[in-house]
Amino acid sequence: MIAHARTDSPRGERRLIVAAFLSLFGILAAQSLLETARDALFLAQVPIARLPWMYLAMAAIAVLGTRVANLPTGGGGRARAALVSLSLAIGAAVTAGLAATLSRSSVAAVYLLFLWSGLFSAHAVTQVWTVLGENLDMSLAKRLYGRLAAGGGLGAVAGAALARLLSHRVEARHMLWVAAALLAITAIGPAFTLRSRAGAAPARRATSSAARRQRSRLLEHPYVTRLLLAALIAAAVSTLIDFSFKEAIVARLPADRLPAFFATFYLVTSALGLVLQLFGVGWLVRAAGVARAPLLLPLLLLGGVLWTILTGGLGALLMLRGLDGALRGALHRPSLELLQVPLGQRLRRKAKPLIDAVGQRTGQALGALALLLPFHLASAPSIRMALAAAMLLVWTSIALDLARRYVGLLRATLLAPGRSAPQPGAFGLDGAARTTLVAALDSPREAEVSGALDLLGANGQQRLIPLRLLDHPSPAIVRLAVQTLTTLPADDGRPDEIRRARLLAALDRLIAHPALVVRSTALLRRTALAPDRLALIAAAHDATCPAVRGIALAASVAHGWIDEAGGVPALRLLVAHGSAQVRLAVAEAIADRPSPRFLSVLRDLAAGREVEVLGRVAAALGTIGDGAAIEILLTLLGRREARAAARAGLGRAAGGAFELAAAALSDGDRPLPQRANLPRALVEIDPERAPRALLDGLLSEDDGFVRYRILRALNRVQRTRPETALDEDILGRAAVAAVDSAYRYLAWRLFLDDGAARLGARRTPTWQLLRELLREKEDNAIERLFRVLALRYPRDDFRRLLRTLREGGRRARAAGRELIDNLLAGPAHTLTLALVDEVGDRERLAAIAGGAPPRGPTYRELLAEIRAEEQGGTLSSLAAHHAAELEPALPGIDLGDDRNGRTRVAHA
């Protein structure tokens, strides 16, 4: 039935994301307008010599504002979410007030505008990201970070484009009215809809002395110190470049042309930054590597500064300022974020505010002081650019040192005990990283050695692993080293014969290793690389180690060195009486050289329950691929611990695997667990042919659980291969059949209620169980209907629609029914609407019959109908038991003493 319990988590997350995207869009669009008006008005009315003082004042106010903003709000996350909308509303009011003041040509208002525009947007954007951080889990935040940041980039472009349009029609001060309107709309629109978790508690704040001690400890960390210096120098260089750029513009352009110029300039730089953010940064980081990516911006800026010094033209300054504006947010900030990843979550959480806030504002103040204190020296643009070049050289040196320390920190953090190795390709292995990993192979800690082995093997660097590692005191390390060394990269075309000979000799020696796991692995890999007939035959007759004997027997039989008639029975005996380790060794040996002659052994192994053994067995059976092997795989499908391996084996099998699996799906005599897992297996065997077989089974299948699995498999096909066309006629018939089932179960349940109401003795515990099972089957039929509709209308999320109808609020459920009313056509339209309508059960039953339901069977006939629904099933058994308990226990009751209304559902 359609339940009405409320859950709004998915909806709430989507609302939060959209609200954050639009909030960032509105804030940055207003900021672009503010910056354009600010620069045009300030440079037209205030001497350029006062600009450094404004930089310094902005830095001081920002530091003070950061302290005030970090005071406890008293309401935790919920209060901070409300503050976003409130801050934007106040920002709109202040911006409008500045616009009104500027209309009276107030120079003081120009100063306030400069400070306001530099501080407000950064504070508002930080608030939005704070609310997001309190509500999104890490994986979701990582996935959505780029999209949400693009909202700000799009807003900056839109705001700059609007400023460009307005610059030809109104005065610069009028742009503030538009910015105020944007902030007000954002405050009462998307920002107002931001919601923080109800349970988010206020963050615990450290005392001032504890905060000072924490900052002192952070500054003692050499890696954090260099990150802070990089942020500081980057801000100082940006301040010098920005001042030189504006000085040159003021000297060359009249005041009335400044608004149009700045609007055009910010539009170009914002668009370029957005394009780089969406398409260029990922490629640059992959090409240069995480450690070297931070070198790109200082080197590019250094080239621009040198060009500016040599040419001294306005074009060079335009290029330099545009390069800084476009790449600072698109490349520099992501690079710093990536460099902070190896710090670890706890240390990074403490260091990030220091790097972002203190580094940025202190650097801005440093750049302002460089312009103020020795102003008579820094007044010449060439001297100022030379100072910037010196800072850029220091920045480059710091970036190089960060690259070196990054590798060391990576080694200390990612290969620490208790941590799993990163996925292949997650970090590029440059020369320094390879050297670090090779050095880690000599570590006394096993976890660090195994981590280095995993990384080198995953990145195809087996040749860097020294053979002396095969003498490691830990059997686990020796086994891992054997496996890694004998698995060469697929593109390895230059075999080292000397190293190969040494490796084979080492493997021969390890066959006598005290540890069984090392002995069996060494023999297995030695046989795979270069089988030795005499050694294998000798090992096959060695009764001291069953695992080694099993590997040798399997390899000798596969090569024809031991007769099958003698070798296979011996293998079966080992499997029957050996340990799990022996069975795994035999399975691995057969999987290395699969052959039909091992089918009896594989069948014995498949009877066990060791997941690792079953995986090797399924791989071998899939490679063999004949009818007998496929039949064993089909049997394994019915076992929970072997399903994944069996599907993979069937997908590997060639020939008639698909036909045999499709025939098994329609074979009602096969066990239900096996048939229920066949739909997904068909998709993995042949995703192109699977839909036709699954659709046929959807109409002919009697078991509801198998039908459900068929629908899930079809949904999987539609997700992975959206171009696949599904037969609409079959889907329409399947939808009507699902509705028919739902109403049949509803009618039976109501008829049972009528029968119990007429004669209370029928209300037995079995009657209650039967009634509850009919309700459950009705729910399952409704879910089946919506899964069919999801296949029929792939652009619409019917699964979400069903959740809304079951668990949403009143308005959401009404909207869901309205959506169904507009989407569906034909019989499915009327039937589905009647099924989900919020009326009583009897009204829904009457709706499908087009009026009052006709009279139906007697109580006895009703139970007979239910028993015929699924012979041998739970529903049939309960109906039979209910009929049996009434007659002998209650002899005075005639099961057929009354008639109940009955609806027969028929559809054209």
Side-chain angles (χ1 to χ4, degrees), residues 408-446:
L409 193 62
L410 177 69
R411 173 179 180 270
T413 303
L414 298 180
L415 297 181
R419 294 181 63 97
S420 58
Q423 295 295 321
F427 298 92
L429 293 184
D430 54 14
R434 287 195 295 270
T435 303
T436 300
L437 292 174
V438 171
L441 295 176
D442 292 325
S443 171
R445 295 182 295 180
E446 289 188 23

Side-chain angles (χ1 to χ4, degrees), residues 130-428:
T130 300
V131 173
L132 284 170
E134 292 170 345
N135 285 270
L136 301 181
D137 59 75
M138 183 60 69
S139 60
L140 191 59
K142 286 181 179 179
R143 180 165 54 86
L144 296 173
Y145 179 85
R147 301 180 199 174
L148 293 172
L154 286 170
V157 172
L162 184 57
R164 179 74 177 83
L165 181 66
L166 293 173
S167 64
H168 295 291
R169 293 169 171 79
V170 298
E171 297 179 15
R173 61 188 175 86
H174 292 303
M175 295 182 188
L176 269 65
W177 292 109
V178 182
L182 281 173
L183 290 175
I185 292 171
T186 307
I188 63 176
F192 186 75
T193 62
L194 283 172
R195 292 290 183 269
S196 191
R197 272 196 312 262
R204 296 180 60 187
R205 296 185 51 80
T207 62
S208 58
S209 59
R212 284 195 297 270
R213 288 195 300 271
Q214 186 180 87
R215 286 195 295 270
S216 176
R217 287 194 296 269
L218 285 173
L219 291 175
E220 292 175 359
H221 195 295
Y223 193 78
V224 174
T225 303
R226 281 154 181 79
L227 286 172
L228 176 63
L229 288 175
L232 186 150
I233 295 176
V237 170
S238 180
T239 303
L240 291 176
I241 292 175
D242 186 64
F243 178 84
S244 300
F245 162 73
K246 291 175 179 175
E247 182 186 49
I249 296 302
V250 170
R252 289 169 172 80
L253 291 180
D256 60 340
R257 293 182 57 188
L258 290 178
F261 170 80
F262 282 118
T264 304
F265 180 79
Y266 290 143
L267 174 60
V268 173
T269 55
S270 298
L272 180 59
L274 179 61
V275 171
L276 286 173
Q277 187 179 47
L278 293 176
F279 305 108
V281 174
W283 178 84
L284 284 173
V285 172
R286 287 193 299 271
V290 174
R292 290 185 291 272
L295 282 167
L296 296 176
L297 182 59
L299 289 176
L300 289 173
L301 290 180
L302 183 59
V305 166
L306 295 177
W307 186 29
T308 303
I309 293 174
L310 292 176
T311 60
L314 179 61
L317 271 174
L318 283 173
M319 181 274 299
L320 182 61
R321 177 62 178 82
L323 193 67
D324 180 62
L327 292 181
R328 185 164 298 275
L331 178 62
H332 174 64
R333 182 63 180 268
S335 297
L336 281 181
E337 293 287 341
L338 288 172
L339 283 175
Q340 293 175 47
V341 171
L343 286 173
Q345 186 176 358
R346 187 174 181 181
L347 180 58
R348 183 171 182 261
R349 187 167 56 245
K350 296 177 181 178
K352 185 173 175 58
L354 183 69
I355 296 168
D356 291 349
V358 178
Q360 170 70 21
R361 296 308 177 183
T362 305
Q364 190 177 33
L366 179 64
L369 289 174
L371 294 169
L372 284 173
L373 298 180
F375 194 79
H376 60 286
L377 295 176
S379 59
S382 58
I383 297 178
R384 202 180 306 125
M385 288 295 99
L387 182 60
M391 290 184 177
L392 286 167
L393 287 173
V394 177
W395 184 2
T396 304
S397 174
I398 292 173
L400 285 170
D401 190 47
L402 275 172
R404 179 180 62 81
R405 292 178 180 273
Y406 172 83
V407 176
L409 193 62
L410 177 69
R411 173 179 180 270
T413 303
L414 298 180
L415 297 181
R419 294 181 63 97
S420 58
Q423 295 295 321
F427 298 92

